[in-house]
C-alpha cells in the first residue's frame, strides 16, 4: 500500500515542480507589472501637476492685453 502511494507521488514530482516554479515566476512577473504600473501612474501625475504649475506661473508673468493698453 505505501509502496504504491510512494510510486504515485514520485511520478508526480515533475508536475509539482512545474506548478510551484511557474506559480512563483508568474507571481513575480505580476508583482513587477503591478509595481511599474503604479510608478508610471505616479510619475505621470507628478509631470501633469508640474506642467500645470509651470503654465500657471507663465500665465501670471505674461502681461495681459489690459495691462499693455494701460501702459501706453
Amino acid at each position: 500500500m505505501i509502496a504504491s502511494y510512494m510510486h504515485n507521488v514520485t511520478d508526480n514530482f515533475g508536475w509539482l515542480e512545474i506548478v510551484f516554479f511557474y506559480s512563483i515566476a508568474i507571481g513575480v512577473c505580476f508583482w513587477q507589472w503591478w509595481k511599474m504600473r503604479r510608478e508610471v501612474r505616479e510619475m505621470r501625475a507628478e509631470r501633469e501637476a508640474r506642467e500645470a504649475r509651470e503654465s500657471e506661473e507663465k500665465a501670471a508673468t505674461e502681461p495681459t492685453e489690459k495691462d499693455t493698453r494701460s501702459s501706453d
Side-chain angles (χ1 to χ4, degrees):
M1 174 98 178
I2 290 181
S4 67
Y5 174 75
M6 290 302 292
H7 181 68
N8 287 336
V9 170
T10 56
D11 286 345
N12 293 321
F13 277 155
W15 288 110
L16 292 172
E17 181 181 357
I18 289 171
V19 168
F20 284 124
F21 175 77
Y22 284 105
S23 64
I24 290 170
I26 290 171
V28 169
C29 291
F30 180 74
W31 174 68
Q32 285 291 319
W33 173 77
W34 189 270
K35 180 181 173 186
M36 289 303 298
R37 183 174 169 229
R38 185 179 63 232
E39 288 181 6
V40 166
R41 196 174 348 157
E42 290 172 358
M43 287 188 298
R44 196 172 286 152
E46 288 174 4
R47 186 189 72 216
E48 289 173 356
R50 185 182 66 242
E51 289 174 352
R53 187 176 59 246
E54 289 173 354
S55 67
E56 288 175 359
E57 290 173 357
K58 185 177 179 183
T61 58
E62 290 180 353
T64 60
E65 286 184 31
K66 186 177 183 182
D67 292 340
T68 55
R69 277 189 261 144
S70 62
S71 64
D72 286 336

